[in-house]
Amino acid sequence: PDVIIEAQFDDNDAEHGQDHLQDMLTDDIKKLSLDTGEKAAGVAGVHRIKQDDGPKANDPRLLPDEFLQRTAKVVYILEKKHSRAATGFIKLLADRNSELFKRCAMFSPVDHRVPRVYVPLSDCPPDFVSKPEAYSQMLFICRIVDWKEDSNFASGQLCKSLGQAGEIEPESEGILTEYGVDFSDFSSEVLECLPQNLPWVISPGELAKRRDLR
C-alpha cells in the first residue's frame, strides 16, 4: 500500500519556501525502513513496511491472532441441509402496474430466516387475485426452487394449503414439513411388527430388565 506522510506546516515553513518542506519530507522518508526479517506467509521476497515512529497498533498484521476477526466467503454448497420448504402467507405484490404482478404473488415465510419468495399465480387459489383478503390468515407450504444471485427474493412453488393460522393441526404440519419429518401413516408392514393381542402390557420379567424412565 501507499505510504502517506503528513508534515506540520506553519508560517516559518512558508518563509523558507518549498525547499525547506522538501527537506522535511526527505527526512521523514528516511525514517521508514523495510523490515527484512519478516516476510508474508507463503510469499517469498515480500517485506513488511515498518514505521518506527508510528503507532503499531493500527497495523492489523502486527496484532495477535486472538484479536483478529477472520472472514470468509461461501463459494459452493456441498449439501443442501435445509428442506427448502417453509410455512407462510401469500399476498399480492405492491406494484400493480408491473409485469411481475400479473404472473407472481409474494410468499412471506413465518420463519424470518427464510427469504421471501415469488410464487406463480397459477399455484395460488383461483380467486386469490380477486379476494386476497380471504387468504390473509391462511397458511401455505412453499418450496424454494431457485434463488438468483442478483435478486432479493427467491423463486418457489406453492405445495399445499394447510389451513387457518393459529390452529394446532396446520401449525404442526407446517413445522414437520419444514424440518423434513415424514408424518405419513405407517404402512401395514410396519404395523404388523407391533403386538397384535391388545391390550398389551410389559411382562414383569421384561420390566425387571429395563430401566424405568417413566
Side-chain angles (χ1 to χ4, degrees):
D2 297 334
V3 178
I4 301 175
I5 301 176
E6 297 182 358
Q8 297 292 334
F9 189 77
D10 51 22
D11 295 339
N12 293 331
D13 295 329
E15 293 177 0
H16 289 83
Q18 185 68 23
D19 294 338
H20 178 68
L21 180 59
Q22 184 67 30
D23 294 338
M24 291 178 57
L25 292 176
T26 302
D27 293 339
D28 288 336
I29 291 175
K30 290 180 180 179
K31 293 179 182 179
L32 298 177
S33 61
L34 289 177
D35 184 5
T36 57
E38 297 183 10
K39 296 184 178 181
V43 181
V46 178
H47 303 281
R48 293 184 176 180
I49 298 176
K50 179 180 178 182
Q51 187 173 0
D52 295 335
D53 56 348
K56 295 182 180 180
N58 292 335
D59 189 352
R61 295 170 297 179
L62 302 180
L63 294 175
D65 288 344
E66 59 266 24
F67 295 110
L68 299 179
Q69 176 63 54
R70 302 192 181 277
T71 59
K73 180 181 179 181
V74 177
V75 295
Y76 187 75
I77 298 176
L78 292 176
E79 183 179 356
K80 296 180 179 180
K81 290 289 188 180
H82 195 271
S83 64
R84 298 303 192 267
T87 306
F89 305 92
I90 57 174
K91 58 184 178 180
L92 294 175
L93 299 181
D95 188 2
R96 295 177 177 269
N97 297 323
S98 65
E99 286 295 326
L100 198 59
F101 179 85
K102 303 176 183 178
R103 298 184 290 106
C104 297
M106 179 63 70
F107 176 82
S108 297
V110 175
D111 188 349
H112 297 291
R113 296 172 299 178
V114 181
R116 287 181 289 176
V117 185
Y118 286 133
V119 294
L121 285 177
S122 57
D123 292 349
C124 301
D127 58 344
F128 168 68
V129 176
S130 59
K131 296 190 302 182
E133 65 279 356
Y135 300 94
S136 60
Q137 296 300 316
M138 185 75 68
L139 282 175
F140 289 86
I141 286 288
C142 174
R143 193 172 297 276
I144 297 175
V145 296
D146 190 20
W147 192 0
K148 298 185 182 301
E149 295 181 358
D150 57 350
S151 176
N152 292 328
F153 307 108
S155 300
Q157 294 177 342
L158 283 185
C159 298
K160 63 181 297 186
S161 172
L162 296 177
Q164 290 293 325
E167 297 181 0
I168 293 179
E169 288 297 330
E171 295 279 1
S172 300
E173 183 177 348
I175 294 174
L176 294 173
T177 303
E178 287 181 5
Y179 286 92
V181 179
D182 183 7
F183 55 93
S184 60
D185 294 336
F186 288 107
S187 64
S188 58
E189 182 180 359
V190 174
L191 294 177
E192 290 174 356
C193 297
L194 299 176
Q196 304 300 319
N197 297 326
L198 302 178
W200 178 81
V201 294
I202 302 176
S203 63
E206 184 68 24
L207 196 59
K209 296 186 297 183
R210 300 190 181 191
R211 182 180 180 185
D212 194 347
L213 298 176
R214 294 172 295 181

